[in-house]
Amino acid sequence: MGGAVSAGEDNDELIDNLKEAQYIRTDLVEQAFRAIDRADYYLEEFKENAYKDLAWKHGNIHLSAPCIYSEVMEALDLQPGLSFLNLGSGTGYLSSMVGLILGPFGVNHGVELHSDVTEYAKQKLDVFIRTSDSFDKFDFCEPSFVTGNCLEIAPDCCQYDRVYCGAGVQKEHEEYMKNLLKVG
């Protein structure tokens, strides 16, 4: 999925295109997208594709298309202080953008099946915190990434205000997934 928005030359142009196509509709989501350069979450040899509205996968490392992430962030109606669970958290790009909105009193957890991807996300997060000019402009809810199977989260685990699952959920697991959400 993706490709609905033309490719940009840089992160700002990509976001301008997402806004023009009305994938990004709120200032909060726009600010989060502009604060984190999508290319920073790519492997060096694939960065020329970072500003295309396309999904990217290399081995276990994966990123959804920007139009998908913008639709997700808009639909979740993220607000400061909420709790967020990202199932299949991948590179940590989405979780990091969400953390810019949740602020210091939010909860930001990511579960990823593959340990190499969890380590990749932790490295990308560390680079963002150490080097980004944007980091100092936000009260950040730092994502916490763990390796695991999202279908094996303990049933007595905390519940979340918002849950995103980047993959399809089979019918027999639907109730299990719903139990990860707080009532209301």
Side-chain angles (χ1 to χ4, degrees):
M1 202 162 186
V5 177
S6 63
E9 293 295 317
D10 60 21
N11 201 59
D12 282 328
E13 193 173 312
L14 173 64
I15 289 140
D16 291 344
N17 292 338
L18 289 166
K19 280 188 66 177
E20 186 177 316
Q22 297 188 0
Y23 284 101
I24 294 177
R25 297 177 294 282
T26 61
D27 290 341
L28 215 47
V29 171
E30 178 184 355
Q31 290 167 6
F33 266 85
R34 290 198 190 278
I36 299 180
D37 193 319
R38 188 168 191 255
D40 292 344
Y41 289 78
Y42 270 71
L43 292 170
E44 194 63 42
E45 61 268 29
F46 299 102
K47 284 189 176 190
E48 73 275 0
N49 294 316
Y51 307 119
K52 295 178 182 172
D53 188 30
L54 298 170
W56 172 68
K57 184 168 173 49
H58 182 76
N60 293 326
I61 299 170
H62 54 91
L63 270 168
S64 291
C67 68
I68 301 300
Y69 285 147
S70 57
E71 283 288 309
V72 166
M73 289 181 66
E74 293 287 357
L76 289 175
D77 188 28
L78 299 164
Q79 303 294 322
L82 292 179
S83 57
F84 174 71
L85 175 62
N86 187 353
L87 302 172
S89 52
T91 64
Y93 174 65
L94 175 63
S95 293
S96 293
M97 287 192 295
V98 167
L100 296 173
I101 295 173
L102 297 182
F105 303 109
V107 173
N108 192 355
H109 294 159
V111 178
E112 173 56 46
L113 187 59
H114 304 285
S115 61
D116 60 324
V117 181
T118 303
E119 289 310 308
Y120 185 86
K122 289 176 180 180
Q123 291 168 6
K124 294 300 178 181
L125 176 62
D126 180 60
V127 170
F128 172 68
I129 290 170
R130 285 187 297 105
T131 66
S132 175
D133 293 337
S134 298
F135 181 74
D136 293 333
K137 297 176 185 170
F138 292 85
D139 290 326
F140 188 53
C141 179
E142 186 174 326
S144 173
F145 300 111
V146 297
T147 302
N149 184 333
C150 67
L151 295 173
E152 295 175 357
I153 296 172
D156 59 346
C157 150
C158 69
Q159 293 179 312
Y160 295 85
D161 296 305
R162 305 290 188 268
V163 176
Y164 172 66
C165 180
V169 177
Q170 294 174 337
K171 194 74 171 156
E172 67 259 24
H173 301 299
E174 195 173 301
E175 281 305 309
Y176 171 83
M177 293 299 200
K178 286 180 183 176
N179 288 329
L180 296 172
L181 281 168
K182 288 181 183 176
V183 174

